[in-house]
Amino acid sequence: MDKKTEDFYERLKVELDNSNTWPAEYLFKFIVPSVNDNVERVENAFNCMGAVIKTTKSKTGKFTSISVDVTMKNAQEIIDKYQEVSTIEGIVSL
């Protein structure tokens, strides 16, 4: 992980800790290309966590937006999830 990415996650952790009381509900939002198993891979990352997952395909069908509403234990768990799904080709975290 490069320095810029490390700094981003460190700032995110501080912001999450300052704005939440743990455990807390957190809404992840992603956009992925609608190819291969991208949507399934995001869904599997939140498997067995009691997450509510909503998917919506774009008008052209090339992309899928994914909203994941889930209770997270702490800020580090949120960062770990972002890092886990960051390996999916073309994913955009919002």
Side-chain angles (χ1 to χ4, degrees):
M1 188 180 329
D2 64 20
K3 178 77 171 128
K4 187 177 178 182
T5 305
E6 284 179 25
D7 289 346
F8 169 77
Y9 283 123
E10 188 57 40
R11 283 193 314 274
L12 177 60
K13 186 174 188 311
V14 170
E15 285 293 320
L16 289 168
D17 281 334
N18 288 339
S19 62
N20 291 288
T21 305
W22 305 107
E25 285 284 318
Y26 189 77
L27 179 61
F28 290 89
K29 290 187 176 184
F30 307 103
I31 296 175
V32 295
S34 301
V35 294
N36 304 325
D37 60 347
N38 287 345
V39 173
E40 185 180 339
R41 288 177 64 193
V42 173
E43 291 173 343
N44 287 343
F46 295 92
N47 200 13
C48 300
M49 293 181 68
V52 176
I53 301 173
K54 295 179 185 164
T55 61
T56 306
K57 280 200 174 192
S58 66
K59 195 181 293 187
T60 61
K62 291 181 182 177
F63 297 93
T64 302
S65 68
I66 306 168
S67 298
V68 182
D69 200 3
V70 63
T71 300
M72 302 301 280
K73 294 177 191 145
N74 54 46
Q76 188 58 52
E77 189 178 37
I78 292 170
I79 290 167
D80 291 345
K81 280 296 172 195
Y82 277 124
Q83 290 173 337
E84 180 182 343
V85 299
S86 71
T87 61
I88 299 169
E89 189 173 340
I91 192 166
V92 176
S93 300
L94 305 173

